[in-house]
């Protein structure tokens, strides 16, 4: 879906967005309930499965079911672990928070390809300046990533006000690079800046929690945060971990002879 979404027909694109935003609904819902939630006809689900090479929707649904069962087992295991220990409300609250962060980190470790991390680190390590564009909800991990780069004496410019970013991005030149940190919904202003950066032929690294983001589709390397969890804490945790790993990768690239 990620590889082909730019060429999807409108109805297929609608269902692809729904499937990636609500994988458990696709996995365990009925054709009628899924069609109603996605606001399409039941026959559209059959065509959806066939579009990806399956005989129908049920074969495609089985893929989502397998992934959904894995998530359920992981959650059940963590809930059992939380019951071991003192029966104290405050203790459970902190343990649940720690467990949510741990699960986000585990997902990051399992889903981020090492080749992508190396590619992103390599292209950013050779940049003269790195422009960091961040949406409002991405500010916590964008600020952290910016600070890591500054600590390594890398020229990094953090842009969070998309209205005033135009004048600063006008200073971008060949040899620079951009890092985009976005969360849904992606603002039209941020998307327009990414298009302008792409026209300058600058390398773009994107961290996104929107699987079918048109902005991320323009990136040289993209990292998906969606699998780490949909709540704010999981998203921020994943963003911090990924930003720190990317900064460490840049540092390693700079130290390699």
């Amino acid at each position: 879906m990620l590889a082909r979404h730019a060429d999807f027909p409108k109805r297929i694109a609608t269902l692809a967005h729904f499937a990636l935003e609500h994988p458990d609904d696709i996995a365990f819902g009925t054709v009628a309930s899924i069609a109603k939630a996605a606001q399409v006809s039941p026959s559209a689900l059959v065509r959806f499965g066939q579009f990806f090479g399956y005989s129908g929707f049920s074969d495609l649904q089985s893929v989502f079911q397998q992934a959904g069962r894995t998530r359920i087992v992981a959650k059940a295991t963590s809930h059992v672990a939380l019951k071991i220990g003192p029966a104290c409300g405050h203790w459970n609250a902190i343990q649940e928070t720690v467990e949510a962060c741990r699960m986000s980190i585990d997902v990051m470790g399992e889903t981020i390809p090492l080749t992508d991390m190396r590619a992103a680190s390599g292209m950013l390590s050779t940049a003269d300046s790195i422009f960091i564009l961040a949406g409002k909800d991405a500010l916590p991990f964008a600020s952290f990533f910016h600070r890591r780069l500054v600590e390594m004496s890398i020229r990094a410019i953090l842009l969070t006000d998309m209205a005033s970013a135009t004048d600063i991005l006008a200073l971008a030149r060949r040899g620079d690079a951009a890092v985009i940190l976005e969360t849904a919904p992606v603002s039209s202003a941020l998307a327009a800046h990414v298009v302008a950066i792409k026209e300058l032929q600058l390398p773009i690294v994107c961290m996104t929690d929107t699987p079918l983001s048109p902005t991320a589709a323009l990136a040289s390397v993209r990292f998906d945060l969606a699998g780490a969890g949909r709540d704010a804490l999981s998203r921020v945790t994943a963003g911090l971990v990924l930003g720190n790993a990317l900064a460490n990768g840049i540092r390693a690239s700079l130290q390699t002879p």
Side-chain angles (χ1 to χ4, degrees), residues 52-143:
F52 292 101
Y54 296 93
S55 60
F57 177 69
S58 59
D59 288 342
L60 175 61
Q61 187 179 38
S62 66
V63 177
F64 283 82
Q65 288 172 345
Q66 182 177 0
R69 292 188 186 102
T70 300
R71 289 193 298 273
I72 290 171
V73 170
K75 290 179 180 179
T77 301
S78 62
H79 283 315
V80 169
L82 289 175
K83 293 180 180 179
I84 302 175
C88 170
H90 294 296
W91 183 88
N92 285 335
I94 188 63
Q95 290 298 319
E96 288 174 5
T97 302
V98 170
E99 182 64 16
C101 292
R102 185 193 66 77
M103 290 182 67
S104 292
I105 294 171
D106 286 346
V107 170
M108 294 296 295
E110 295 171 359
T111 59
I112 298 298
L114 181 58
T115 52
D116 287 352
M117 185 61 66
R118 287 173 175 168
S121 300
M123 69 176 61
L124 293 177
S125 67
T126 61
D128 296 326
S129 299
I130 298 177
F131 293 86
I132 305 170
L133 283 74
K136 179 178 63 176
D137 291 337
L139 183 57
F141 48 94
S143 299

